[in-house]
Amino acid sequence: MALTKKAERTERTKAKLLASARKLIGERGFDRVSVEDITRDSGVAKGTFYHYFKCKEDVVAELSFQSSQTILEESVHFDGTADERCFHYVTALCRDADWAGVRLVRQWIREAMESEDEDSEAKACLYDIYNAIVKICAVRQGRGPGELTEDAPLDTLAKLLMSHVFGALTIWCMMNGSWNLSEQSVKYMEIDIKNLFKPYMIGE
């Protein structure tokens, strides 16, 4: 029982740090939030922070992982057609990228491109996105109007859709985040996805 209570306290402390980090980074941006800001806001000692995380970047990695799982579950169960589910997913990814900020997104893209280790965190995140798109497309595949046909090339569609998303992320980073990624993505992602999926959609 004592161990259970200790574990619960540990989880609560970590949750406090993560909640404060998400709030502060959302308000100020990653570069304007320090470890001291996070611990002060959460009421947790600075030394305790380093029991859970090596650095501020690790906090963002944890938050991004949690968010990606939530986004995936929401998208899989989203009440819409295959293209609408994917649109929901990729625009949510763009909102998360906006929240994390250019520097972290740029760092992640660089690590994903340069790493030869297939087990690296950056590569794992890349494959997670690929697998998520395939899952979102396949969940009701072949079951009726608005869904993809049974023979739709999910592998190809997922890779093409990723190329559109990462193209937007890369240009956004190259332009130092001078435009709102999540707002601008909404304007063209829906058209892109509909055009990609149209040849393989089951009609009315």
Side-chain angles (χ1 to χ4, degrees), residues 89-108:
Y89 179 70
V90 298
T91 51
L93 287 183
C94 288
R95 285 196 300 272
D96 257 20
D98 254 337
W99 170 82
V102 170
R103 186 166 71 83
L104 288 183
V105 174
R106 186 182 289 143
Q107 177 182 325
W108 174 71

Side-chain angles (χ1 to χ4, degrees), residues 27-197:
E27 291 172 353
R28 308 178 194 174
F30 178 81
D31 292 329
R32 295 182 180 179
V33 175
S34 66
V35 170
E36 289 83 357
D37 292 330
I38 295 170
T39 55
R40 187 184 308 114
D41 184 83
S42 62
V44 175
K46 186 177 178 182
T48 304
F49 175 93
Y50 293 105
H51 175 73
Y52 299 101
F53 307 104
K54 292 179 182 178
C55 58
K56 191 173 58 168
E57 285 79 0
D58 283 353
V59 179
V60 174
E62 175 87 9
L63 287 169
S64 294
F65 174 77
Q66 291 180 0
S67 180
S68 67
Q69 300 307 303
T70 301
I71 292 168
L72 173 58
E73 286 305 307
E74 287 178 351
S75 301
V76 166
H77 297 101
F78 186 77
D79 184 20
T81 57
D83 56 340
E84 289 169 344
R85 292 195 302 275
C86 281
F87 175 68
H88 179 83
Y89 179 70
V90 298
T91 51
L93 287 183
C94 288
R95 285 196 300 272
D96 257 20
D98 254 337
W99 170 82
V102 170
R103 186 166 71 83
L104 288 183
V105 174
R106 186 182 289 143
Q107 177 182 325
W108 174 71
I109 291 174
R110 183 171 61 250
E111 289 175 0
M113 291 177 64
E114 296 177 354
S115 176
E116 296 180 2
D117 180 7
E118 291 298 312
D119 295 325
S120 69
E121 288 187 12
K123 277 286 199 294
C125 183
L126 189 68
Y127 290 122
D128 282 348
I129 293 172
Y130 166 82
N131 290 327
I133 294 172
V134 170
K135 183 175 181 179
I136 291 165
C137 290
V139 65
R140 293 195 287 274
Q141 187 177 8
R143 296 189 188 177
E147 297 300 327
L148 295 172
T149 59
E150 288 284 1
D151 61 349
L154 299 190
D155 173 73
T156 300
L157 290 174
K159 288 173 181 174
L160 285 172
L161 182 50
M162 287 177 72
S163 74
H164 288 239
V165 174
F166 289 109
L169 288 174
T170 301
I171 294 299
W172 181 67
C173 288
M174 291 171 67
M175 298 179 69
N176 294 316
S178 60
W179 45 283
N180 187 298
L181 179 64
S182 54
E183 287 183 6
Q184 294 295 319
S185 68
V186 171
K187 295 180 180 179
Y188 74 90
M189 282 291 180
E190 186 173 19
I191 297 171
D192 271 358
I193 294 170
K194 284 185 181 298
N195 287 336
L196 279 175
F197 285 19

